[in-house]
Amino acid sequence: ADYGGYDGAGGSFDDGLLDASGMTVGGQDGNKELDDLILYNMVKTKNAAGKTEWLCNACGRKGTHKRSIMVHVETHLELAEQQCPYCGKNSKTREALRVHIKDYHKKKGEV
């Protein structure tokens, strides 16, 4: 699979997954491994016009934005469940957890 230049070394794709203190939200110790698993389950392709697209291996969903397909692919993964550090609620994906924290805890002033 083509990871679009991502070789699995260094960094991860946790953009936008930080709480107000700058700490990574969710499974802090497993995000790089989860990112690697997500990247393994998507492929970089070209459409008929030659534009880069990303393809979800699980269902075939395509998109031109890598981050959007990464968020989508995570919905297929059983191991991706994340727990809210404020209330313990389980979310299926890191994006769902980020939205939960933003919509629920930030409005209450807990973050």
Side-chain angles (χ1 to χ4, degrees), residues 3-13 32-33 35-37 39:
Y3 300 149
Y6 179 77
D7 63 5
S12 66
F13 293 95
K32 183 182 178 327
E33 290 82 13
D35 287 336
D36 289 344
L37 184 59
L39 290 169

Side-chain angles (χ1 to χ4, degrees), residues 3 6-18 23-25 27-39 66-67 70 74 94:
Y3 300 149
Y6 179 77
D7 63 5
S12 66
F13 293 95
D14 291 329
D15 304 323
L17 300 174
L18 302 177
M23 296 297 295
T24 303
V25 172
Q28 295 175 3
D29 297 328
N31 283 338
K32 183 182 178 327
E33 290 82 13
L34 182 55
D35 287 336
D36 289 344
L37 184 59
I38 290 167
L39 290 169
K66 184 177 183 178
R67 180 73 188 145
M70 288 182 71
E74 191 172 346
R94 292 177 291 184

Side-chain angles (χ1 to χ4, degrees), residues 46-88:
K46 297 276 185 184
N47 64 19
K51 188 170 182 176
T52 298
E53 287 186 331
W54 296 92
L55 173 71
C56 172
N57 292 341
C59 70
R61 181 175 179 169
K62 293 179 184 178
T64 56
H65 294 88
K66 184 177 183 178
R67 180 73 188 145
S68 296
I69 296 300
M70 288 182 71
V71 169
H72 165 76
V73 168
E74 191 172 346
T75 66
H76 294 293
L77 303 176
E78 298 288 326
L79 304 173
E81 191 168 279
Q82 304 290 312
Q83 188 173 48
C84 177
Y86 302 102
C87 69

